[in-house]
């Protein structure tokens, strides 16, 4: 991923590493969600990347970034239940549209536009704001990092986005949830990072490589 824009193959590789990251950390995601949610986030996210992988296997390997990300959107929007699945689908859908508008390759500008549009759609549908202890708390800093990185190659911009998302994830541990299942748990959810935010960080981090464990990214020391 060193070119000025991501082609279809590199985008597919990113989505495949995302799936590998989800599978590798599914138990950790489940454990987090058992403490701060319904307990099904890891399972639902794994089901989403599995469904997306099956759809991607049926698409032409020469397809561009928009098609790869659009396939991710289809899987999460149409086939995955739970609260977070459709929200991830909205992000992938926005990224796909931005990729289509950017030409044959996925540029940093398109990544910034798509992430910002995905964030806006998620906030509109989920009625969540930064500070509510949701995936928005990871997506908003990722979007800001991508906007600040315009002019840098996508590989560099995505590392910056992942760093921002992980900072947002760690910040959610100190927040009181105002949305979702965690909002009913009160102080019992304090100190626990939001699982949906972790999923967003996994997506951006997987652009550079597979995440095998959450521990190094959740440590606050």
């Amino acid at each position: 991923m060193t070119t000025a824009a991501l082609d279809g193959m590199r985008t597919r590789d990113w989505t495949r590493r995302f799936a590998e990251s989800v599978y590798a950390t599914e138990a950790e995601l489940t454990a987090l969600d058992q403490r701060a949610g319904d307990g099904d986030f890891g399972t639902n996210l794994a089901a989403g990347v599995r469904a997306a992988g099956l759809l991607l296997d049926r698409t032409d390997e020469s397809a561009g970034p928009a098609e790869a990300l659009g396939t991710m959107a289809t899987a999460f929007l149409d086939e995955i239940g739970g609260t977070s699945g459709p929200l991830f689908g909205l992000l992938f859908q926005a990224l796909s549209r931005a990729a289509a508008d950017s030409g044959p390759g996925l540029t940093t500008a398109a990544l910034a536009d798509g992430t910002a549009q995905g964030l806006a759609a998620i906030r509109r549908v989920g009625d969540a704001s930064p500070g509510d202890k949701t995936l928005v708390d990871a997506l908003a800093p990722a979007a800001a990092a991508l906007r600040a990185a315009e002019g840098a190659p996508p590989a560099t911009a995505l590392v910056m986005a992942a760093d921002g998302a992980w900072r947002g994830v760690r910040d959610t541990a100190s927040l009181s949830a105002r949305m979702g299942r965690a909002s009913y748990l009160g102080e019992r959810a304090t100190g626990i990072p939001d699982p949906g935010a972790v999923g967003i960080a996994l997506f951006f981090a997987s652009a550079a490589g597979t995440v095998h464990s959450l521990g190094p990214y959740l440590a606050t020391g």
Side-chain angles (χ1 to χ4, degrees), residues 148-164:
E150 287 195 43
T156 301
L158 286 166
V159 168
M160 294 171 64
D163 288 345

Side-chain angles (χ1 to χ4, degrees), residues 78-109:
D78 295 350
E79 300 188 33
I80 306 304
T83 303
S84 296
L87 299 182
F88 275 78
L90 289 174
L91 172 61
F92 301 142
Q93 186 177 68
L95 285 168
S96 175
R97 289 172 176 165
D101 290 340
S102 73
L106 182 57
T107 63
T108 296

Side-chain angles (χ1 to χ4, degrees), residues 32 133-139 141 162-175 191-202 214 217-220:
L32 282 177
K133 194 167 184 168
T134 70
L135 59 81
V136 166
D137 290 297
L139 188 56
D163 288 345
W166 285 121
R167 286 195 298 271
V169 167
R170 291 189 290 271
D171 287 347
T172 63
S174 63
L175 296 175
I192 304 166
D194 179 72
V198 174
I200 290 292
L202 279 178
L214 298 180
Y217 300 93
L218 301 185
T220 56

Side-chain angles (χ1 to χ4, degrees), residues 100-149:
D101 290 340
S102 73
L106 182 57
T107 63
T108 296
L111 285 165
D113 288 345
T115 302
Q117 291 161 14
L119 172 62
I122 288 169
R123 290 191 61 180
R124 187 166 57 249
V125 171
D127 198 27
S129 299
D132 285 345
K133 194 167 184 168
T134 70
L135 59 81
V136 166
D137 290 297
L139 188 56
L146 286 168
R147 189 63 71 193

